[in-house]
Amino acid sequence: MDIFNSEIKDCINSIIENKLPILKENKDFNEKYSQLNNTMDELERSLSNNQKILFNNLIKLFYETEEYYFTLSYFLGLKCGKDIKKL
């Protein structure tokens, strides 16, 4: 089974997106998330049109690669879940 095929990756990312409210309950995450968005907005306002295109492509690629991290993390959690509970 290819864990990174489109269907599986999309399904896992949907699960994660539905669980984001749990993550947003974490104060440290919320601060970093807000700071990230504010910094991206501020940077984008200062860019030329060509730079904005590059910046938006960079952000798009960041989110697309993040989906692979989520998928891998999900499967590692399934595989190592019992060991994680022991920590």
Side-chain angles (χ1 to χ4, degrees), residues 4-87:
F4 298 110
N5 79 40
S6 235
E7 188 176 324
I8 291 173
K9 189 170 53 74
D10 290 346
C11 180
I12 291 169
N13 280 279
S14 178
I15 291 168
I16 292 183
E17 286 179 20
N18 288 332
K19 298 298 182 182
L20 279 178
I22 295 169
L23 186 56
K24 290 183 177 181
E25 291 175 8
N26 180 281
K27 182 181 176 187
D28 187 53
F29 171 80
N30 256 347
E31 289 172 359
K32 287 177 174 37
Y33 186 78
S34 292
Q35 186 178 7
L36 174 64
N37 285 323
N38 291 339
T39 303
M40 287 180 357
D41 289 343
E42 186 177 333
L43 177 60
E44 188 173 21
R45 284 191 298 272
S46 70
L47 299 175
S48 70
N49 286 336
N50 287 340
Q51 290 171 324
K52 285 181 184 182
I53 292 169
L54 287 171
F55 177 72
N56 288 327
N57 190 45
L58 174 71
I59 297 304
K60 178 181 171 260
L61 289 169
F62 174 77
Y63 287 128
E64 289 174 358
T65 56
E66 194 174 56
E67 291 178 356
Y68 288 91
Y69 291 124
F70 290 157
T71 303
L72 179 60
S73 297
Y74 181 85
F75 278 99
L76 287 174
L78 289 177
K79 183 175 180 170
C80 305
K82 291 178 183 175
D83 294 332
I84 291 171
K85 288 179 183 179
K86 293 178 186 176
L87 294 177

